[in-house]
Amino acid sequence: MEDATVISSLATVRLQAQSRLLPTACCPDKDLVILISRVGSDDKMSLWNMQGAKKWEVDMNQGGSAQDEITALNWSPDGKSIVVAHHPPRVSLHSLQNGREEHSLSVGPSPSPMLSPPRITGVWWFKKERKINRNEMPDMFLRGNVVTGSALSILRTQPLLDTLQDDTLPLNATDLFAFQGAQSRTKTSSLPEVIASWPALPSDPLAASIKPSPRAGDNRPGEELDERDLTNVDSLLVATDDAGQIHCYLDGSYPLGAIQLGPGCEAKTLMKNSEETVYPTPVFNNLTPMTVELPLLDAKSTRLIAENCSAARDLVWYTMRVVKEMRKSWFGGDGHDGARELNAKYVRDLEERQARFDQETNAVFDLTVLLATGKSSSALSDFNQTGDLTSERGLQKWESTVGEALLRLRDYSEKRVAPACQRLHLLLEEVRGWSLLPQLYGKYEFSTEDVDVCLDLTARAIIIAAWLAATARRELYRFTEFISFLRYETSRLSATNDNTIVPRHDILEVNEYLMSGLVVSSIDRWFIGPVPQFSPDSIATPQTVDLRSVIDHACAFASDPSKLTWPPITQKKDLSHLDRNLDALVHALAERCQQVFDRAARAVARTAALNQTWTIPEQTLQAAEILQNRVAELSLSQLRRMRAVREEKVHLAIRLHESEHGLSRCREVICMIRASHQHEGGSRTASIVAVAILECRSASEDEDAVPEDDEGDKFHIFDMDFFDEESLVIVYESYAKEGAGTIGMVNYCGIEYTEVDLRGNVRGLWQEDIVAEAIKQVKTGQVACAPAPIRRQRGLKVCGRAGREQNEGPGAGTRTGTATLAVNGRVGRRVGCVLDGEGNELEMFDMEGDEEEEEGLATID
């Protein structure tokens, strides 16, 4: 046994709330660890460094469910994000800097509508292994991975649309004034369902020719010149659930659909090779992994469609927010009155004054009489002299509020909505081209009819936006003339000499505003009513297609100028019956586009090839029956750990209690299984399987001097996990010294393994059969049960046992009364964390540290 001081303690933290430590809690490339605490019916997630300082803490429930539980977590390849699995099922991505939720991924429903929602059991994030071929000729048509002439390349040449404020995370007083790290931050997403469910890569506004919104911390000089981090590009995020589904996401964001493994199958761990193949290990513990091939995962068309889909999503979401701002400025919202309300207030106040003077309540009639004759009724004269809106300050506020709203409607329609829809139309035209190439894009199931509907809606939105801009421009001019008219009349009432007041308003324009703008504005129809269904040709002016008739008509006027009238008499269409609700149209466009792109995004899962050679229904039922009669009943063992060494070798460690293995004079044993695989076509089978049985007993210097029934060196394992390719870290407690926990490292590569005869078991290589065979060989004396070779160890300050189990609430039936372990065996990190059985104390270790004095260690409350 080596020097125990090699494992050094870094810090001990006393936690304020009962917490959980998941096996993947340690950050792979940073000295950080995640803790999960439960307050009431919701989970909280906190980030700690290895010196025992808490960086931040966030609430995980967004208010969408009665309770929220974290079931698994992992880290992004670039180390900047934390992926968290929840129950009810969803996957969220959080920033490492402050814990803020950056994205929420939906998880498909249960395969059977009669079943409850599935529970996510694990998440993995695989980095794309890039092979650089320096001898390969570069693709001359690619410019920054964008194909020249494509819709995306054209968008890059367009001027950027004006930025919009990101309102998905509004700031509050706590965010503004609380000390960093001291507050709990909660993110409430304001994304509508159609946008939240729209498949998209991580947002890149520049790809959609939109100016990005400035964020806190983005003001570092020269940051815009930094080279883009491509670590997460083409990566694959995978989540598995207990319903036997595998949910895949490209770049950790773009959903590729759910893959069903088959009846009774549940993936316990995943591996991915350098190609488009994923290897899940099923619930029935067969060492021959299932093979899932994803032929479209690395296809160029998949990436192109994903980028096109993401740009379309950004443009639609941009348009929806702009239209929302336009509606808010006109009708009001979020507790603020819109510009439209000031007109209505003026009419209501005037009619109340008319009723007080026993006059007929008709504000427009009195104003029209005043405009035409210059004579005012008693009520109108009194109101113009004493009304709130007719004072100079009131008129200024009225003019600025309504004027700014009309300017916003004009500019937003002309400079934001219409250009965004034009860019979207360009993207949809490319999608329509894909729908006409089934030999290249047939697997993505683009429907030409559905794309045509989206194109029609987009074209209609462009026309309605231009129409609104023209209407707002005309309405602004008429409103300005109306305010000038009111100023003239109020000034005339207070002036002693009428000759000094000169009218500056246009009587006809003021009358038009009184008839169609003061009480009921024509602009209202752009935000109320059904979705417009008119054809773009229906609003166009009649055109003469015969050039000869046009020339003859011009020659007639040239020969006889008396026939020429000015302005020329033109036929004007009546468009008053047409619906023009831009708000409803944009939402309908978003729904139809989302359906088209969602169907295309799930093509990767639809075309997945699943190797189920051993999981046909007959073998599944047979396996269920066999599992009921085992020499070693592994259904009782809740502690199993698996480590995949690349894709050719798998190590498995299983802890067995005395009631599970049946060996005399052994309290607990660890069954180590080492399986090597070989490729057979598109699948893999186990070629060599070797096992070793380790007794949970420390090896002494003189084995002959220790009685075999001595309990002094036997121990109970609380938790264990693979540290690297050589060591297995265990947290254990001696039976002779209960309450005194120890952390140690077992060299599993240096032990002696015994090969298992695979003849007749190639397709049914169950872990239970292998363990039973190994225990049988130990009982017959063919294989020795050696003590666990612990080469490093250190006593724990935290208590490993709590002596209880959780029986209520989420996670009922799981073992929460023993210490839990999380390790990081990456070179340069080599750390481990142990949480005590009560979940109240956390101790952090440097697994390859220098010798330190006990009094020099940190203890933090």
Side-chain angles (χ1 to χ4, degrees):
M1 189 177 302
E2 297 184 9
D3 190 358
T5 58
V6 175
I7 301 178
S8 59
S9 180
L10 297 176
T12 303
V13 181
R14 296 186 180 93
L15 306 173
Q16 297 179 352
Q18 187 177 15
S19 304
R20 290 183 291 137
L21 182 67
L22 299 181
T24 55
C26 290
C27 181
D29 58 353
K30 300 176 182 65
D31 290 335
L32 300 171
V33 63
I34 291 289
L35 286 180
I36 310 299
S37 59
R38 193 162 190 85
V39 179
S41 59
D42 301 320
D43 278 348
K44 286 188 175 184
M45 181 173 68
S46 57
L47 180 71
W48 301 73
N49 62 19
M50 288 300 165
Q51 288 70 42
K54 183 166 67 173
K55 311 300 292 184
W56 47 255
E57 184 178 42
V58 292
D59 298 322
M60 303 306 293
N61 194 348
Q62 293 187 338
S65 59
Q67 52 183 319
D68 187 276
E69 178 191 2
I70 297 177
T71 60
L73 62 86
N74 219 310
W75 305 81
S76 63
D78 61 0
K80 298 178 181 179
S81 300
I82 306 167
V83 54
V84 180
H86 303 253
H87 188 76
R90 71 181 183 95
V91 177
S92 60
L93 273 63
H94 297 257
S95 170
L96 183 66
Q97 298 297 326
N98 52 19
R100 183 176 70 93
E101 183 176 315
E102 297 178 328
H103 198 54
S104 181
L105 305 174
S106 60
V107 176
S110 176
S112 175
M114 303 300 294
L115 300 177
S116 58
R119 182 184 181 89
I120 301 178
T121 56
V123 286
W124 293 262
W125 201 332
F126 301 106
K127 178 182 176 182
K128 173 68 174 180
E129 299 296 336
R130 305 182 186 277
K131 297 180 180 179
I132 301 177
N133 187 359
R134 303 186 183 278
N135 298 324
E136 183 181 3
M137 291 292 294
D139 192 339
M140 61 181 298
F141 294 105
L142 285 181
R143 297 294 185 272
N145 292 327
V146 177
V147 179
T148 304
S150 64
L152 291 174
S153 67
I154 298 176
L155 290 185
R156 288 178 178 266
T157 64
Q158 301 301 307
L160 298 180
L161 299 175
D162 294 336
T163 184
L164 292 179
Q165 182 179 2
D166 187 6
D167 57 353
T168 59
L169 185 63
L171 295 177
N172 52 35
T174 303
D175 294 323
L176 293 175
F177 302 110
F179 291 104
Q180 182 178 4
Q183 72 273 18
S184 297
R185 306 172 181 85
T186 303
K187 178 183 185 300
T188 303
S189 175
S190 60
L191 290 177
E193 179 61 27
V194 65
I195 297 298
S197 60
W198 191 309
L201 297 170
S203 180
D204 184 11
L206 291 176
S209 70
I210 302 174
K211 186 177 180 180
S213 302
R215 290 180 176 270
D218 287 353
N219 53 357
R220 178 171 59 85
E223 184 176 7
E224 67 277 2
L225 302 178
D226 292 349
E227 185 177 354
R228 182 186 174 191
D229 188 0
L230 302 179
T231 306
N232 287 349
V233 175
D234 292 331
S235 62
L236 183 65
L237 172 62
V238 183
T240 61
D241 60 35
D242 56 4
Q245 297 181 111
I246 299 179
H247 308 271
C248 302
Y249 305 88
L250 183 65
D251 290 5
S253 175
Y254 185 76
L256 302 176
I259 304 171
Q260 184 65 39
L261 296 180
C265 294
E266 175 188 342
K268 288 298 185 181
T269 188
L270 291 177
M271 298 171 285
K272 182 181 180 298
N273 65 3
S274 57
E275 301 174 355
E276 309 90 7
T277 307
V278 178
Y279 301 109
T281 298
V283 71
F284 281 148
N285 306 318
N286 191 293
L287 282 183
T288 302
M290 300 172 64
T291 303
V292 179
E293 294 185 1
L294 306 175
L296 291 182
L297 178 60
D298 287 342
K300 292 182 178 180
S301 55
T302 299
R303 186 76 197 182
L304 181 60
I305 292 174
E307 293 174 348
N308 190 303
C309 174
S310 303
R313 187 250 192 196
D314 288 339
L315 288 170
V316 171
W317 177 224
Y318 178 87
T319 305
M320 292 176 65
R321 286 185 290 167
V322 171
V323 174
K324 180 181 177 181
E325 287 295 322
M326 295 164 59
R327 181 186 181 92
K328 180 180 176 182
S329 65
W330 186 245
F331 282 103
D334 298 335
H336 300 282
D337 294 332
R340 189 72 185 82
E341 178 61 23
L342 291 178
N343 287 7
K345 184 179 186 304
Y346 176 83
V347 174
R348 288 195 307 267
D349 293 348
L350 178 55
E351 291 179 347
E352 289 177 1
R353 190 66 58 90
Q354 290 174 335
R356 191 183 306 171
F357 279 78
D358 295 329
Q359 295 183 7
E360 182 182 357
T361 55
N362 191 333
V364 176
F365 177 77
D366 271 10
L367 290 170
T368 304
V369 171
L370 177 62
L371 177 65
T373 64
K375 295 182 179 181
S376 174
S377 65
S378 301
L380 182 57
S381 298
D382 182 73
F383 180 74
N384 286 338
Q385 287 180 317
T386 61
D388 294 336
L389 287 178
T390 54
S391 64
E392 185 59 32
R393 178 175 296 180
L395 288 174
Q396 289 180 358
K397 178 182 178 182
W398 191 1
E399 182 179 20
S400 63
T401 303
V402 178
E404 289 176 1
L406 292 172
L407 285 173
R408 183 177 291 109
L409 292 178
R410 183 197 66 184
D411 294 340
Y412 280 18
S413 300
E414 195 172 46
K415 300 179 181 180
R416 294 188 178 185
V417 176
C421 292
Q422 291 168 357
R423 288 160 169 78
L424 178 63
H425 197 278
L426 184 64
L427 293 172
L428 291 175
E429 285 179 339
E430 187 170 54
V431 174
R432 190 179 189 279
W434 295 339
S435 68
L436 299 176
L437 296 173
Q439 64 275 20
L440 297 178
Y441 298 93
K443 296 180 180 179
Y444 299 96
E445 298 184 0
F446 286 115
S447 171
T448 306
E449 293 77 11
D450 292 342
V451 179
D452 286 339
V453 172
C454 295
L455 285 170
D456 291 342
L457 291 173
T458 308
R460 206 170 296 141
I462 297 172
I463 294 173
I464 291 178
W467 190 1
L468 174 58
T471 304
R473 185 179 293 107
R474 183 176 63 251
E475 184 96 348
L476 176 61
Y477 177 71
R478 291 174 178 174
F479 172 75
T480 304
E481 295 299 316
F482 172 71
I483 291 296
S484 179
F485 162 67
L486 289 182
R487 281 200 171 96
Y488 166 73
E489 293 298 337
T490 54
S491 300
R492 194 164 62 90
L493 289 173
S494 59
T496 57
N497 187 1
D498 293 346
N499 296 329
T500 60
I501 307 300
V502 179
R504 300 181 181 277
H505 55 273
D506 188 328
I507 296 178
L508 296 179
E509 295 296 339
V510 174
N511 183 68
E512 286 289 338
Y513 190 77
L514 291 177
M515 295 297 104
S516 62
L518 182 61
V519 178
V520 178
S521 175
S522 58
I523 294 181
D524 297 349
R525 299 188 60 185
W526 268 266
F527 305 102
I528 58 177
V531 178
Q533 301 293 337
F534 64 84
S535 171
D537 297 335
S538 63
I539 65 175
T541 58
Q543 297 181 358
T544 304
V545 297
D546 187 3
L547 180 60
R548 170 52 58 185
S549 62
V550 175
I551 296 176
D552 293 342
H553 192 63
C555 291
F557 283 118
S559 60
D560 187 2
S562 62
K563 297 180 179 180
L564 181 63
T565 60
W566 188 261
I569 300 174
T570 58
Q571 184 179 359
K572 184 177 180 181
K573 280 192 173 183
D574 182 15
L575 305 178
S576 60
H577 65 284
L578 297 179
D579 295 318
R580 60 201 76 171
N581 189 344
L582 182 61
D583 192 8
L585 177 63
V586 171
H587 281 80
L589 173 62
E591 292 177 0
R592 297 304 295 263
C593 290
Q594 188 272 341
Q595 295 172 5
V596 171
F597 286 113
D598 184 71
R599 184 166 57 248
R602 302 185 186 278
V604 175
R606 288 196 303 267
T607 58
L610 179 63
N611 180 9
Q612 293 179 293
T613 54
W614 60 269
T615 57
I616 59 178
E618 293 78 7
Q619 292 177 336
T620 302
L621 295 176
Q622 180 183 5
E625 296 176 357
I626 295 176
L627 288 178
Q628 297 178 359
N629 301 308
R630 294 292 183 192
V631 176
E633 181 54 60
L634 299 189
S635 61
L636 300 177
S637 179
Q638 301 293 329
L639 185 56
R640 307 187 194 187
R641 294 290 182 263
M642 178 174 288
R643 175 182 176 83
V645 182
R646 300 179 183 88
E647 58 182 86
E648 294 83 12
K649 187 178 295 185
V650 173
H651 289 275
L652 180 67
I654 305 175
R655 180 197 63 187
L656 299 176
H657 292 292
E658 185 176 4
S659 60
E660 297 170 331
H661 57 70
L663 296 176
S664 60
R665 297 186 299 276
C666 292
R667 298 289 293 269
E668 288 186 10
V669 298
I670 303 176
C671 181
M672 301 296 303
I673 302 177
R674 183 182 64 194
S676 301
H677 300 89
Q678 64 182 7
H679 292 264
E680 290 185 0
S683 62
R684 301 196 310 169
T685 58
S687 58
I688 300 176
V689 176
V691 297
I693 301 295
L694 302 179
E695 183 181 0
C696 294
R697 174 168 60 92
S698 301
S700 60
E701 297 180 359
D702 187 4
E703 284 292 322
D704 296 335
V706 181
E708 293 185 355
D709 57 351
D710 186 13
E711 299 288 331
D713 53 1
K714 295 182 179 180
F715 53 82
H716 162 68
I717 296 180
F718 294 130
D719 200 0
M720 62 182 177
D721 204 353
F722 287 95
F723 188 66
D724 52 21
E725 298 183 4
E726 297 180 354
S727 302
L728 174 74
V729 178
I730 61 175
V731 177
Y732 59 96
E733 174 189 73
S734 174
Y735 284 105
K737 299 178 181 179
E738 291 190 3
T742 306
I743 183 173
M745 301 178 69
V746 176
N747 183 7
Y748 67 90
C749 282
I751 61 178
E752 182 178 354
Y753 288 86
T754 302
E755 290 190 12
V756 177
D757 188 3
L758 300 181
R759 288 176 295 180
N761 291 318
V762 175
R763 296 191 181 275
L765 201 60
W766 308 104
Q767 297 176 18
E768 289 80 357
D769 288 331
I770 297 174
V771 174
E773 179 65 23
I775 293 178
K776 179 181 178 181
Q777 293 180 4
V778 172
K779 288 182 177 181
T780 58
Q782 301 178 33
V783 177
C785 182
I790 302 177
R791 58 191 182 94
R792 299 173 189 168
Q793 66 178 4
R794 183 185 180 88
L796 298 175
K797 291 185 177 181
V798 300
C799 180
R801 184 189 302 272
R804 57 174 177 76
E805 292 186 357
Q806 182 174 346
N807 297 317
E808 298 180 356
T814 59
R815 301 194 176 194
T816 60
T818 59
T820 51
L821 170 70
V823 296
N824 178 15
R826 187 169 179 172
V827 176
R829 297 299 169 187
R830 319 288 284 181
V831 295
C833 299
V834 178
L835 184 67
D836 72 334
E838 293 286 352
N840 295 326
E841 281 191 281
L842 176 70
E843 189 169 3
M844 306 171 185
F845 298 93
D846 184 351
M847 306 303 292
E848 292 184 353
D850 298 328
E851 182 178 357
E852 298 185 22
E853 297 290 339
E854 284 292 330
E855 56 270 16
L857 303 179
T859 301
I860 302 175
D861 293 327

